[in-house]
Structure formats: C-alpha cells, structure tokens
C-alpha cells in the first residue's frame, strides 16, 4: 500500500471534508482516506502509486489540489489576503446600504417613480452579492449540478432570495430587504477570514519546527579542508565541523572535541548538556563552547527533528471522536436545513397568506443555520 498526502483548496466547511472523504473511499483500490478540514490536508492509503485518480475525483467535486503546503493559502481565493480585499469592498458598499435602511434615510429625487434611496440600496447590494459574494453562488451552482448542497448553498439561497424579492418589491412599492443580503455577505466573509486565520495557526507549530533546521554545514573534505555545503547534500558517514555558537546540522556522533550543547529545543531543559567523543548530538541543537567534529548518523526523515515534525503532523491529522461525530452531522446538516426552510416558508404562507413574511422567515432559517 502507498500513502499519498496532498492539500485541498476550496473547502468551506466540515461537510466539504466529509464529501471528499466519501468520494475518495469509493475509488477502487483505496483502503482508507482521511480529509482534515482544519489543515486542508488529505491522506489516502491505496494500491495506486499514481495519485492522479484522486486528483480527478476531487476536481470533479469542485475543489482544487495542492501537493505542497508552502504558501498554501497565497494562491487560494479564500486566503486571508484575498478575503481582506473582498471584505473591504463589501464593507465599503454595505455600510451605506445599512445606514440608509436602518435610519430610513430618504435621498431627494427619484427614477421611474422609485426613490433614489432604494436605487442606491439596490445597486450597491447587487454589486456586493455578485462581486465579493460571487464565490458562494459559483460553489452552490457546482453542488446543484451534482444534486448536492453545502454551506455555500445556504448563503447563496438566502442572499439571492432576499435580493430578488427586494428588486421585485421595489417596483411593486413594497418593503425591501437589500441590507439583509449585503450584510449577510459581508459578515460571512468576515467569519471566513477569521476561520482562515485560525486554520493558518494550526500548522504554525510545524513551520516553526522546520525553521529550526540548518541550511549549510562545514563539511570536512579530504586533507582536512573545510567546505560549506547545503545540509541537503550531506550523507550518512560524512564528517562536519560545528564551531562554537553554531547549530548542529544533523544527528550524529562526536569523533573529535568536547563542548556543551543547548538541547532545549528537544528536551525543554535550559541547562546545556556536556558532550564528549562518542557522544550523540542532534540536528538543530546549539553548540555552546568548543569545536566539534561530528560523523553524520541520520539524515532526512530519520533525524530527531524530522520525527518530531512527523509526530505533530500525525497528531493534527487524527480526529477526536467528537470531531468524527461532527463530520457525520455536517454531511446531512445542509439538506435538513433546506427542508426546514421550505417547511417554514409553507407554514408562514398558509398561516398569513403573505409571501413576504414567508420568504423572510425562510431566509432567516437559511442564514441562521450557517455556522459562519
């Protein structure tokens, strides 16, 4: 069996992770699949050596693929940087709509017999819904084509219903709810931004651990000549010299010299540890005083630092029993909410006879149900 690890872009909620996990498990040859929403990471155990089949399935579900985590959010439409721009645009346009609506401001003048206040609300809200908010609708449409729904479906249905009804009501001289659609888009974008920030912190520990490593080492060549070489080029059995104050590049055994080494990054112990010939040292620890000649004993994933990073990644990848329960609920949550919204609409309509009251109640169900 081969284990494939890659990163997924475009997930907006736990139900996305559940859906992708189910799609991956349906592929012939896959024995296990686990998609972590917080890390945007997928682990697949399969007899397939080529992961292209997994990529095709995920792309068919409407999501993107990234093999490396470096700058994983920088090229993603839901990156904090990208969301900041969308939030700024949405907020600038939404604030006037909110103020006009909440304080019932009447701007002098009219077009086609409709007040300028309503026109301003209508135009600005439409830009918000189909500008910064377009991502919700495109994702919802992709899900609809597959006869599915996710959290974006709730947002899309709620805002489009409020916007469409308000345009109709504006010409019918009724009450408008443009501010509802605009504020919903803006607030949920803010919620999504906060979520991306918290997701970024989930892998912060791993990044900091990786930054502890050394980039170059003083390799002792034939004749005792020192040569600065990239750590990645070192092999087991190579001999390196570590001067006072420098980090030890990789795990190894001391063959000459003695010193004290700060191993606090491994043990948490602030006091330096004495090291002599035949003593074991570890990569990313700091040589304190004397010069050491070290014979490399472990490289790559076999070093102590790499093993620590792997343990942290495994710990983050594992799901707690409660999280598994949440994933199960998320998979059926959206369809249930949509059904409740339909029942709410029908109940209000038949009891009041008012499409407006029924629509507002149904939209409220869709919006309030969204975890964002």
């Amino acid at each position: 069996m081969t284990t494939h690890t890659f990163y997924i872009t475009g997930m907006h909620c736990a139900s996305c992770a559940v859906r992708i996990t189910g799609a991956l498990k349906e592929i012939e040859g896959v024995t296990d699949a686990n998609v972590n929403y917080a890390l945007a990471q997928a682990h697949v155990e399969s007899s397939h050596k080529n992961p292209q089949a997994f990529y095709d399935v995920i792309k068919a579900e409407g999501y993107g693929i990234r093999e490396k985590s470096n700058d994983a959010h920088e090229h993603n439409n839901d990156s904090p940087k990208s969301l900041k721009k969308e939030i700024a645009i949405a907020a600038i346009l939404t604030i006037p709509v909110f103020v006009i609506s909440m304080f019932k401001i009447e701007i002098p003048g009219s077009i086609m017999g409709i007040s300028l206040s309503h026109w301003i609300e209508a135009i600005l809200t439409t830009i918000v819904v189909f500008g910064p908010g377009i991502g919700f609708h495109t994702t919802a449409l992709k899900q609809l084509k597959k006869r599915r729904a996710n959290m974006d479906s709730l947002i899309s249905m709620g805002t489009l219903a409020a916007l469409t009804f308000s345009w109709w009501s504006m010409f019918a001289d009724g009450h408008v709810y443009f501010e509802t659609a605009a504020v919903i888009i803006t607030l949920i974008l803010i919620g999504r931004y906060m979520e991306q920030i918290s997701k970024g912190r989930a892998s912060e520990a791993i990044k900091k651990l990786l930054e502890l490593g050394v980039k170059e080492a003083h390799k002792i060549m034939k004749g005792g000549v020192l040569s600065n070489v990239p750590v990645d080029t070192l092999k087991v059995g190579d001999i390196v010299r570590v001067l006072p104050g420098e980090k030890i590049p990789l795990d190894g055994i001391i063959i000459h010299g003695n010193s004290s080494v700060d191993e606090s990054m491994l043990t948490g112990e602030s006091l330096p540890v004495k090291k002599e010939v035949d003593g074991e040292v570890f990569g990313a620890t700091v040589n304190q005083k004397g010069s050491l000649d070290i014979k490399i004993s472990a490289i790559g994933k076999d070093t102590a630092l790499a093993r620590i990073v792997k343990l942290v990644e495994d710990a983050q990848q594992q799901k707690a029993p409660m999280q598994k329960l949440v994933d199960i609920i998320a998979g059926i949550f959206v369809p249930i909410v949509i059904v409740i919204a339909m029942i709410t609409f029908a109940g209000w309509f038949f009891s009041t006879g008012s499409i407006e009251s029924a629509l507002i109640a149904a939209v409220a169900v869709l919006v309030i149900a969204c975890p964002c």
Side-chain angles (χ1 to χ4, degrees), residues 187-207:
L187 289 181
I188 291 179
L189 285 174
I190 293 173
R192 189 159 286 182
Y193 171 77
M194 295 171 68
E195 187 177 28
Q196 289 297 338
I197 293 296
S198 66
K199 283 171 66 179
R201 289 173 182 164
S203 58
E204 193 68 26
I206 294 177
K207 291 180 181 177

Side-chain angles (χ1 to χ4, degrees), residues 295-306:
K295 186 176 183 179
I296 302 300
S297 61
I299 62 173
K301 65 181 181 180
D302 296 324
T303 64
L305 179 61

Side-chain angles (χ1 to χ4, degrees), residues 9-11 56-64 139 142-143 146:
T9 60
M11 291 195 298
D56 292 341
V57 167
I58 291 172
K59 288 177 180 177
E61 291 291 325
Y63 304 94
T139 302
K142 289 178 182 178
Q143 295 299 318
K146 293 179 175 294

Side-chain angles (χ1 to χ4, degrees), residues 64-368:
I65 298 293
R66 180 178 301 283
E67 293 187 14
K68 295 182 179 180
S69 61
N70 295 342
D71 298 324
H73 297 298
E74 289 302 315
H75 306 287
N76 185 0
N77 291 332
D78 279 340
S79 70
K81 190 174 181 180
S82 175
L83 283 172
K84 262 188 176 180
K85 294 179 181 178
E86 292 182 354
I87 291 169
I89 295 170
I92 290 171
L93 298 176
T94 297
I95 290 173
V97 175
F98 180 80
V99 171
I100 290 172
S101 175
M102 290 297 102
F103 295 97
K104 302 185 184 304
I105 297 174
E106 286 295 334
I107 299 173
S110 64
I111 299 175
M112 299 173 61
I114 300 171
S115 71
L116 284 179
S117 296
H118 280 353
W119 279 109
I120 292 172
E121 287 183 83
I123 293 170
L124 294 183
T125 300
T126 302
I127 295 173
V128 171
V129 172
F130 293 105
I134 191 64
F136 300 119
H137 311 306
T138 54
T139 302
L141 183 60
K142 289 178 182 178
Q143 295 299 318
L144 181 62
K145 288 179 179 178
K146 293 179 175 294
R147 297 181 181 178
R148 294 173 178 170
N150 63 2
M151 300 301 172
D152 282 1
S153 303
L154 300 182
I155 301 166
S156 179
M157 290 175 65
T159 55
L160 289 178
L163 179 66
T164 304
F165 175 81
S166 295
W167 270 101
W168 172 82
S169 185
M170 185 173 77
F171 285 96
D173 198 25
H175 191 75
V176 296
Y177 298 92
F178 289 115
E179 83 286 351
T180 300
V183 170
I184 287 170
I185 293 292
T186 303
L187 289 181
I188 291 179
L189 285 174
I190 293 173
R192 189 159 286 182
Y193 171 77
M194 295 171 68
E195 187 177 28
Q196 289 297 338
I197 293 296
S198 66
K199 283 171 66 179
R201 289 173 182 164
S203 58
E204 193 68 26
I206 294 177
K207 291 180 181 177
K208 287 182 177 179
L209 283 172
L210 292 173
E211 288 171 0
L212 294 173
V214 183
K215 303 299 181 184
E216 287 190 343
H218 310 303
K219 182 178 179 181
I220 301 178
M221 313 297 286
K222 290 183 179 180
V225 178
L226 289 181
S227 176
N228 289 341
V229 299
V231 170
D232 293 342
T233 64
L234 293 175
K235 299 177 181 178
V236 173
D238 286 345
I239 299 174
V240 297
R241 180 165 295 168
V242 182
L243 302 176
E246 293 183 338
K247 285 185 177 181
I248 295 169
L250 295 168
D251 298 3
I253 304 295
I254 298 173
I255 61 173
H256 183 268
N258 60 78
S259 180
S260 295
V261 176
D262 179 0
E263 295 184 341
S264 57
M265 57 78 62
L266 280 177
T267 64
E269 174 57 60
S270 59
L271 293 176
V273 180
K274 290 184 178 180
K275 297 290 183 178
E276 299 177 343
V277 174
D278 293 333
E280 187 176 11
V281 291
F282 304 97
T285 57
V286 182
N287 182 25
Q288 295 282 298
K289 296 179 179 179
S291 177
L292 298 174
D293 289 353
I294 301 169
K295 186 176 183 179
I296 302 300
S297 61
I299 62 173
K301 65 181 181 180
D302 296 324
T303 64
L305 179 61
R307 292 199 299 270
I308 291 173
V309 171
K310 183 66 167 59
L311 285 172
V312 174
E313 287 181 335
D314 290 345
Q316 290 186 334
Q317 185 65 28
Q318 293 299 318
K319 292 184 178 182
M322 183 58 70
Q323 186 179 353
K324 292 179 180 178
L325 176 60
V326 170
D327 286 349
I328 293 172
I329 294 173
I332 59 174
F333 178 75
V334 175
I336 290 175
V337 169
I338 292 175
V339 171
I340 292 174
M342 293 170 65
I343 294 173
T344 302
F345 179 88
W348 276 80
F349 177 72
F350 288 117
S351 62
T352 65
S354 170
I355 294 180
E356 178 178 344
S357 298
L359 183 64
I360 295 304
V363 169
V365 171
L366 294 173
V367 174
I368 297 303

Side-chain angles (χ1 to χ4, degrees), residues 46-63:
S46 170
S47 58
H48 299 287
K49 291 186 178 180
N50 187 346
Q52 189 58 47
F54 315 140
Y55 298 170
D56 292 341
V57 167
I58 291 172
K59 288 177 180 177
E61 291 291 325
Y63 304 94

